[in-house]
Amino acid sequence: MDPFVVHTGVVVPLDRPNVDTDAIIPKQYLKSIKRTGFGPTLFDDWRYNEPGEPGMDHSKRQLNSAFVLNLPRYNHASILLGRENFGCGSSREHAVWALTDYGIRSVIAPSFADIFFNNSFKNGLLPIALDSAVIEQLFRETEAQQGYQLTVDLPNQQVVTPSGQTFDFKVDEFRKYCLVNGLDDIGLTLRHADEIRAYEARRQQQAPWLF
Amino acid sequence: MVAAKTLYDKVWDAHVVRQEADGTCLLYIDRQLVHEVTSPQAFEGLKLANRQPWRTSSMLAVPDHNIPTKDLAKGITDPISRLQVETLHDNCREFGVTEFNIGDPRQGIVHVMGPEQGATLPGMTVVCGDSHTSTHGAFGALAHGIGTSEVEHVMATQCLIQKKMKNMLISVDGKVGAGVTAKDIVLAIIGEIGTAGGTGYAIEFGGDAIRALSMEGRMTVCNMAIEAGARAGMIAVDETTIQYVKGRPYSPKGDHWEKAVAAWQDLHSDADAQFDRVVRLDAASIKPQVTWGTSPEMVLPVDGMIPDPAQESDPVKAGAIRAALQYMGLQANTPITSVQVDKVFIGSCTNSRIEDLRAAAAVAKGKKLASNIKLALVVPGSGLVKQQAEQEGLDKIFIEAGFEWREPGCSMCLAMNDDRLEAGERCASTSNRNFEGRQGQGGRTHLVSPAMAAAAAITGHFVDARSL
């Protein structure tokens, strides 16, 4: 996994609550057995005028020019600003893979669905929950100022605006450690293999029907 | 004195392998269910790192999302779908994981198959790369959906890295009226607390109305905990649970059975257990429900009117109502019963069990589909549900009424196979999500109970199934 330390990037505002993972990556693309290549079909139903299917050359499809991701001012955006309950619905990690493959490094919203939130950390995508009033301000500033950028500073747990205003955010210590260092958590867990085996042995005595 | 615990506290505590200073835990997983969509990248990850699954006997696999529901003899014609199903089969063979493949009567939707086989047991931790894993909480298990990276993590370590969630009790007090089902109860709950109401919580469903439900009904309720934002929904173990589990292929036998039943007696919240949030609903006031919008919280009782964004003071919510009305092609302030339907889908991990099919058949018996219905599908949750329904003659009732009787799978709940809505088509569906495009791009989904779906099929529009 790529480490996440400090990132500065253009912000794209997606102004609707309850953006679900079906919208982030529609089901037909879940047939892939790979982790890569989902970027061109991120928000597929909203991004293109015609339905898409796996195997198409997506660069030849007609874009929906009204969709915010297609507005020239948000070209190369790497920070997505969202509303409440971002990433709700299906557990598909493909939603995170689509965002990262597109180039999004951080999603900032008032709240996230739990599974999406978890999946993000496993893939170097940093989800940041900020107060609704702050989110409202960031929407206003993003829409008012072309090329609006934010800096996300994970070690200091701050979002910094172009005017230098800072907003603190919370992140679990363990997740921060893994993300800053780009660590594979399976390797970390396997360092405790003896404890897992000891638990199993105890449990097998107490509840043998589970084994 | 030992502190009083909730059901969630008890199952959680029994599975903690180690805890870090910040509260992050390694949680031991008893059962991992696997399907074809969210597992290939996890198996690939194992291979790339040269790792073996920690305990293959904890795993049970079944293809369900891509499976065609007719002409199975032709196989899967879509080559990309076929490759995904074959990849699951190859991975299961390579790693020695038990799989119920196409043609096996045990094949079906993973969340129907697990409980049916007794592979889901009270007090277990259960995971699957599928958000509707919450279904298994109906057995007093701690069950939740995980992403593919976590699927790989559980395969490799038998553990999940987790922080404990908060406790919420949703108590449905009193008795529901005749003809009001588990689906109506859970949709009413989501209408009450919203799709993010349960975020960060494990929800325990309690109260007389929940206790009175069959295991099928309890699974329907826990299945949609995720639609209320909670990864896990749970229901305390009682005699109904134990009778359901008894004698199933993976259930404990003999001496183990006696020991297990004794241990399961503790799988309920202590009388003085503390919950971080308590929500109470009056069962008697719950009517049959119909969703009108593009989020499960956009739900109405069947005698309700489609909402008006002008009446909503929150601008974000008003915007969401406007967008949903436009997508759904609906007018504010009209009765939901005036809305006509094009297709009907009875199935999914929410409502494809025998009791669901019986409820729909009871409405359809001796009637015919309305002339405006283009297609009405009945998709049993597993091969065994299908066999049981056929023994009871339910298939004939559906076929005589004009429904199509199909093979088991996820089908039109998410339309990864050929069963789907075309743009603009409106569906009365017993599934769990009415998101934009969920059942096909441009498709319009209304979530209802099996009886309400059958009633819509017969009359051509939404109607109170109790009035037929």
Side-chain angles (χ1 to χ4, degrees), chain B residues 391-405:
Chain B
Q391 278 164 16
E392 296 180 17
L394 305 184
D395 56 328
K396 292 196 181 64
I397 293 174
F398 286 121
I399 292 166
E400 279 164 19
F403 290 80
E404 294 193 16
W405 179 246

Side-chain angles (χ1 to χ4, degrees), chain B residues 144-354:
Chain B
H144 54 73
I146 56 178
T148 297
S149 294
E150 291 181 312
V151 169
E152 184 185 343
H153 191 280
V154 175
M155 285 177 178
T157 71
Q158 210 59 40
C159 291
L160 256 189
I161 299 171
Q162 285 276 292
K163 262 195 158 176
K164 200 174 171 194
M165 296 180 272
K166 289 182 284 185
N167 279 289
M168 184 189 297
L169 174 66
I170 296 182
S171 183
V172 188
D173 301 323
K175 224 176 134 183
V176 290
V180 175
T181 67
K183 184 65 165 287
D184 302 309
I185 293 174
V186 73
L187 284 172
I189 290 170
I190 297 164
E192 178 75 20
I193 70 169
T195 46
T199 304
Y201 291 93
I203 295 179
E204 179 175 343
F205 298 99
D208 299 337
I210 300 292
R211 295 255 68 81
L213 292 173
S214 65
M215 287 315 295
E216 285 87 349
R218 293 178 190 187
M219 284 189 257
T220 300
V221 171
C222 288
N223 173 275
M224 290 191 73
I226 185 65
E227 264 56 69
R231 272 188 300 168
M234 300 177 87
I235 293 176
V237 173
D238 61 11
E239 200 48 34
T240 305
T241 325
I242 291 169
Q243 285 310 315
Y244 182 97
V245 169
K246 193 174 185 179
R248 293 186 183 265
Y250 282 75
S251 299
K253 305 284 183 309
D255 185 35
H256 279 179
W257 173 255
E258 301 303 326
K259 277 187 185 157
V261 170
W264 296 341
Q265 301 304 320
D266 191 43
L267 291 174
H268 55 79
S269 290
D270 295 331
D272 46 354
Q274 292 296 309
F275 288 87
D276 301 285
R277 187 176 171 198
V278 177
V279 176
R280 293 192 181 277
L281 272 79
D282 170 23
S285 67
I286 298 174
K287 295 173 183 167
Q289 306 280 308
V290 185
T291 66
W292 62 267
T294 54
S295 166
E297 70 187 13
M298 294 172 162
V299 64
L300 290 171
V302 64
D303 58 357
M305 305 282 270
I306 293 165
D308 184 347
Q311 304 296 316
E312 174 59 59
S313 54
D314 178 336
V316 175
K317 281 189 186 149
I321 294 174
R322 234 172 259 119
L325 289 176
Q326 189 185 4
Y327 180 85
M328 295 296 288
L330 294 173
Q331 292 294 323
N333 302 313
T334 50
I336 192 76
T337 48
S338 69
V339 175
Q340 295 228 332
V341 171
D342 303 305
K343 288 183 175 172
V344 173
F345 172 59
I346 297 172
S348 86
C349 58
T350 314
N351 280 130
S352 63
R353 298 179 181 83
I354 189 67

